[in-house]
């Protein structure tokens, strides 16, 4: 079965849009923590990526869409890594800066080349960024708190597969060129789209399960310790236990806990 570029792009866009919307809606309903918000940004970046490439596939004159798509693809992969780091309570400043810088470079390179850059403008920067950030994301899924959840192993496998695939794709890009039969057959846009579909589905399922599991853990503590009087006032013992639980969960991630006292 031969699939044209526009059909495959539409199929990929459909899967990415559905998975992204499902995750973002679930995140809003659960009022997730910062890791969920970062992964939500990653899915938003995925939405921007497929919309940009869809615009390019429908109208090759929209060369600027390649710049936006490349930057969003790199940024979305980096955000998956950053979400895993936040989940593990790891430092964020330098990694976040690296993701922002590489994404900006991926955008600027294509814009600098202009319409003459062609369909593969800035592909080298995008490929290398994906290789690095996907590899780091896979590693992060196997350490810290995520390493204790078997669900994260699936995400680590898919991110690792993405990193290896783009590493080999980069080698084929330089060795044979993007117009060669070898590259088109094994590493073309159609083949890569199926990997993107797989990554999107697995990432949505795994991140949702991880965040839901953490939410259930917190909910079980709150259900036991939360006691209110008929006037709606929490007893001192319940307040102390809940405040202690909140502080213990906020400390590894460097989050602030605010308490308002009204006398």
């Amino acid at each position: 079965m031969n699939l044209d570029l526009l059909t495959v792009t539409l199929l990929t866009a459909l899967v990415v849009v559905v998975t992204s919307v499902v995750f973002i809606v679930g995140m809003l309903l659960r009022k997730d923590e910062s890791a969920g918000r970062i992964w939500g940004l990653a899915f938003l970046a995925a939405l921007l990526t497929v919309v940009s490439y869809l615009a390019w596939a429908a109208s090759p004159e929209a060369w600027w869409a390649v710049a936006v798509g490349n930057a969003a693809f790199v940024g979305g992969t980096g955000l998956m890594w950053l979400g895993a780091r936040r989940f593990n309570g790891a430092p964020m400043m330098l990694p976040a800066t690296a993701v922002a810088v590489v994404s900006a470079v991926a955008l600027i390179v294509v814009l600098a080349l202009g319409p003459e850059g062609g369909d593969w403008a800035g592909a080298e920067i995008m490929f290398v960024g994906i290789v690095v950030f996907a590899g780091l994301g896979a590693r992060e899924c196997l350490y810290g708190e995520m390493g204790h959840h078997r669900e994260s192993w699936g995400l680590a496998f898919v991110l690792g597969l993405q990193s290896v695939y783009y590493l080999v794709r980069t080698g084929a890009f330089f060795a044979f060129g993007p117009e060669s039969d070898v590259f088109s057959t094994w590493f073309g846009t159609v083949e890569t789209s199926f990997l993107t579909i797989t990554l999107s589905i697995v990432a949505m399922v795994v991140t949702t399960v991880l965040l839901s599991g953490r939410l259930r853990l917190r909910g079980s503590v709150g259900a036991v310790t939360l006691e209110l009087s008929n006037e709606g006032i929490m007893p001192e013992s319940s307040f102390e236990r809940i405040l202690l639980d909140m502080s213990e969960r906020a400390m590894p991630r460097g989050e602030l806990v605010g308490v308002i006292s009204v006398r």
Side-chain angles (χ1 to χ4, degrees):
M1 179 176 62
N2 295 323
L3 298 175
D4 61 276
L5 178 60
L6 183 57
T7 301
V8 174
T9 305
L10 283 170
L11 177 62
T12 306
L14 176 62
V15 174
V16 172
V17 167
V18 171
T19 55
S20 300
V21 170
V22 169
F23 180 85
I24 293 171
V25 170
M27 180 190 68
L28 294 175
L29 292 176
R30 292 192 305 268
K31 298 180 180 179
D32 281 325
E33 56 177 30
S34 53
R37 292 192 290 270
I38 294 174
W39 280 329
L41 290 176
F43 281 103
L44 286 176
L47 281 174
L48 180 58
T49 301
V50 296
V51 170
S52 300
Y53 288 155
L54 185 61
W56 161 70
S59 177
E61 294 78 13
W63 60 270
W64 51 267
V66 176
V68 177
N70 288 3
F73 202 164
V74 174
T77 306
L79 286 167
M80 292 300 296
W81 170 46
L82 294 178
R85 287 185 64 85
R86 175 61 74 182
F87 195 96
N88 287 336
M92 298 289 294
M93 182 60 68
L94 289 179
T97 302
V99 171
V101 170
V102 177
S103 301
V105 171
L107 175 70
I108 294 172
V109 167
V110 180
L111 294 179
L113 293 174
E116 293 76 17
D119 298 339
W120 296 97
E124 305 90 338
I125 302 298
M126 180 185 69
F127 288 174
V128 173
I130 293 173
V131 169
V132 174
F133 293 144
L136 291 172
R139 179 185 182 277
E140 194 69 36
C141 290
L142 300 176
Y143 288 87
E145 185 176 351
M146 290 195 71
H148 297 295
H149 298 273
R150 292 185 178 181
E151 296 86 356
S152 63
W153 298 355
L155 182 59
F157 173 78
V158 174
L159 288 175
L161 177 63
Q162 182 187 22
S163 180
V164 172
Y165 175 84
Y166 271 91
L167 179 62
V168 178
R169 194 185 193 200
T170 303
F173 183 88
F174 286 107
F176 304 103
E179 306 301 331
S180 65
D181 292 337
V182 173
F183 189 89
S184 300
T185 302
W186 298 100
F187 305 102
T189 303
V190 174
E191 291 72 22
T192 305
S193 297
F194 289 107
L195 176 65
T196 302
I197 291 173
T198 303
L199 174 63
S200 301
I201 295 174
V202 174
M204 186 273 293
V205 173
V206 172
T207 51
T208 300
V209 170
L210 287 171
L211 293 172
S212 299
R214 178 179 278 187
L215 185 65
R216 286 195 301 269
L217 178 61
R218 294 179 178 182
S220 62
V221 174
V224 173
T225 58
L226 180 58
E227 299 175 0
L228 297 177
S229 65
N230 294 332
E231 293 79 15
I233 299 176
M234 185 182 298
E236 182 178 353
S237 59
S238 296
F239 176 79
E240 289 179 351
R241 294 173 64 185
I242 291 178
L243 180 60
L244 178 61
D245 176 67
M246 292 176 59
S247 301
E248 289 177 346
R249 288 187 279 106
M251 183 172 59
R253 297 184 297 276
E255 297 178 346
L256 297 178
V257 176
V259 178
I260 299 176
S261 176
V262 179
R263 185 178 296 274

